[in-house]
């Protein structure tokens, strides 16, 4: 009887250690301090990873009223100018845009909408990125990643058409 009890106890401990499918082993937060081309701080973007993906929260000011393209770009730098952030984050080689049949970039996000006073606040959820540095879709690859706010709204088509870059922020672990 002692042997059966010990075996059952060990099996229970092993199952408890493995956890369930509902457990999530990785959680993290990150931020990006957003700056204008003149270096003035214009806001912050925070990222919080959970079991189903990443919540992106943007809070900006100083934008022109209206819609602005908002993307994650491939390189974690904003200097010497915002072009240094590279192209849209597309670790799987997918193409751009929500409104066409091909899979979209991991860095495609909905447009930001700035109010008449130039402020914008938005929450977006995506399961196409991760903050886990060991994953293929990590924002923390060898050269990092950055957020870019564009002058015009994104077309959501195969070509972004969102115009110049008006704000940039390097994504860093919080």
């Amino acid at each position: 009887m002692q042997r059966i009890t010990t075996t059952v106890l060990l099996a229970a401990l092993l199952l408890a250690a493995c956890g369930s499918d509902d457990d999530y082993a990785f959680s993290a937060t990150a931020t990006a301090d957003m700056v204008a081309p003149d270096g003035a701080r214009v806001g912050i973007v925070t990222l919080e990873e959970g079991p189903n993906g990443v919540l992106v929260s943007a809070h900006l000011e100083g934008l022109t009223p209206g819609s602005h393209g908002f993307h994650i770009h491939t390189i974690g730098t904003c200097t010497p100018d915002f072009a240094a952030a590279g192209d849209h984050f597309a670790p799987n080689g997918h193409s751009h845009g929500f409104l066409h049949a091909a899979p979209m970039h991991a860095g495609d996000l909905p447009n930001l909408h700035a109010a008449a006073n130039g402020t914008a606040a938005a929450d977006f959820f995506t399961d196409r990125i991760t903050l886990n540095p060991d994953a293929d879709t990590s924002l923390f690859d060898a050269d990092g990643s950055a957020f870019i706010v564009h002058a015009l709204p994104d077309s959501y088509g195969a070509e972004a058409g969102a115009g110049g870059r008006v704000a940039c922020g390097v994504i860093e672990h919080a």
Side-chain angles (χ1 to χ4, degrees):
M1 184 68 169
Q2 175 68 19
R3 186 175 208 170
I4 292 173
T5 303
T6 303
T7 303
V8 170
L9 179 60
L10 285 174
L13 287 172
L14 284 173
L15 285 173
C18 290
S20 70
D21 289 341
D22 293 334
D23 290 342
Y24 186 62
F26 184 81
S27 65
T29 57
T31 61
D33 287 323
M34 302 297 292
V35 296
D38 66 1
R41 188 171 187 275
V42 295
I44 190 166
V45 179
T46 59
L47 300 98
E48 183 177 359
E49 182 146 11
N52 298 306
V54 177
L55 178 63
V56 178
S57 298
H59 300 276
L60 294 120
E61 58 187 31
L63 299 175
T64 57
S67 297
H68 298 270
F70 183 55
H71 303 100
I72 300 167
H73 284 246
T74 59
I75 302 171
T77 187
C78 296
T79 58
D81 60 32
F82 296 167
D87 294 327
H88 294 176
F89 183 67
N92 297 324
H94 296 158
S95 37
H96 179 272
F98 293 121
L99 298 178
H100 66 93
M104 65 185 158
H105 290 150
D108 283 345
L109 296 170
N111 289 325
L112 285 175
H113 301 280
N117 66 0
T119 62
D123 287 336
F124 305 116
F125 179 83
T126 178
D127 61 0
R128 296 182 319 271
I129 62 170
T130 183
L131 304 179
N132 181 344
D134 298 325
D136 291 339
T137 58
S138 177
L139 298 181
F140 294 107
D141 58 7
D143 58 6
S145 303
F147 282 103
I148 294 288
V149 176
H150 293 272
L152 302 172
D154 190 316
S155 68
Y156 298 143
E159 297 296 323
R165 300 172 183 202
V166 298
C168 182
V170 174
I171 301 169
E172 299 178 344
H173 280 290

